[in-house]
Amino acid sequence: MLTLYHAPRSRSFRILWLLEELGVPYDTEMVSIRRRDGSGHIPPDYIDIHPHGKVPALVHDGVPVFETPAIALYLTDLYPQAGLGPVVGDPQRGPYLTWLAYSTGVFEPAMTERAFKTAHQQGSMGWGSADEVEQVVTRVLQSRAYFLGEHFSAVDIVLGGALQFMMQVKLIAENPVFSAYAERLAARPAMHRALQRDGDIGEA
């Protein structure tokens, strides 16, 4: 059994969306997390599932998995028939792993620097500046419908979902490339199901 540990209106939405895309049965457990306004608290026993008390976390048959790219890779390998992640031996496997790692290893740190107006030390960080990262992502999406080409994958949930959020909070300025990409993502029925479920959980 799959159990997603989730907090409404948080980054765990992306795994909620992925589970809806996969179309597999899963349970959700609400987690109270620390919010920017100081509200929320971490349940003591949740530390055994996620050591930092954050979301998302996934438990499959008693085994916890945390960090969004790791959960996405775990799920797409668990359900290869869904076609949301290239399998070992597929030429797209390398790009798939690359963009999953890029999402939290490069994209999010660069945008966090921008959000907190931290000066980027060129060459001393493990990622490029926010402007440079934005240029890279724009160049990729200029030439293709999705990160892996014409085929939607979990990368478009993990990295694409982060890009959507950054646009919403104005950390990334809209441009025709990003706007068209966001529209393609928003047209997916599974995203609408996840949004509905996220809202329902938040009101429960």
Side-chain angles (χ1 to χ4, degrees), residues 154-181:
V155 170
D156 299 295
I157 297 172
V158 175
L159 181 49
L163 175 60
Q164 277 186 313
F165 174 76
M166 299 298 178
M167 290 169 64
Q168 289 168 3
V169 298
K170 311 299 183 187
L171 282 179
I172 291 181
E174 287 195 37
N175 64 38
V177 173
F178 290 166
S179 296
Y181 176 66

Side-chain angles (χ1 to χ4, degrees), residues 94-136:
Y96 178 61
L97 299 179
T98 297
W99 288 116
L100 283 179
Y102 191 89
S103 64
T104 52
V106 177
F107 183 82
E108 289 187 17
M111 297 308 151
T112 299
E113 279 189 326
R114 175 183 281 172
F116 290 99
K117 298 179 171 57
T118 306
H120 182 78
Q121 300 297 317
Q122 193 67 36
S124 65
M125 302 294 188
W127 56 87
S129 68
D131 289 347
E132 183 182 15
V133 169
E134 216 172 302
Q135 290 165 12
V136 168

Side-chain angles (χ1 to χ4, degrees), residues 13 16-23 146 152 157 183-197:
F13 172 77
L16 192 67
W17 176 12
L18 175 56
L19 286 163
E20 289 296 326
E21 290 279 359
L22 290 168
Y146 301 104
F152 176 87
I157 297 172
E183 285 177 11
R184 288 193 288 277
L185 298 185
R188 298 193 66 83
M191 177 191 265
H192 292 280
R193 292 195 300 271
L195 286 167
Q196 180 65 53
R197 184 152 187 177

Side-chain angles (χ1 to χ4, degrees), residues 2 28 60 66 68 73 89 91 105 107 121 136 144 166 173 175 181 198:
L2 295 168
T28 52
H60 179 217
F66 58 92
T68 301
L73 180 60
F107 183 82
Q121 300 297 317
V136 168
R144 61 191 78 167
M166 299 298 178
N175 64 38
Y181 176 66
D198 191 45

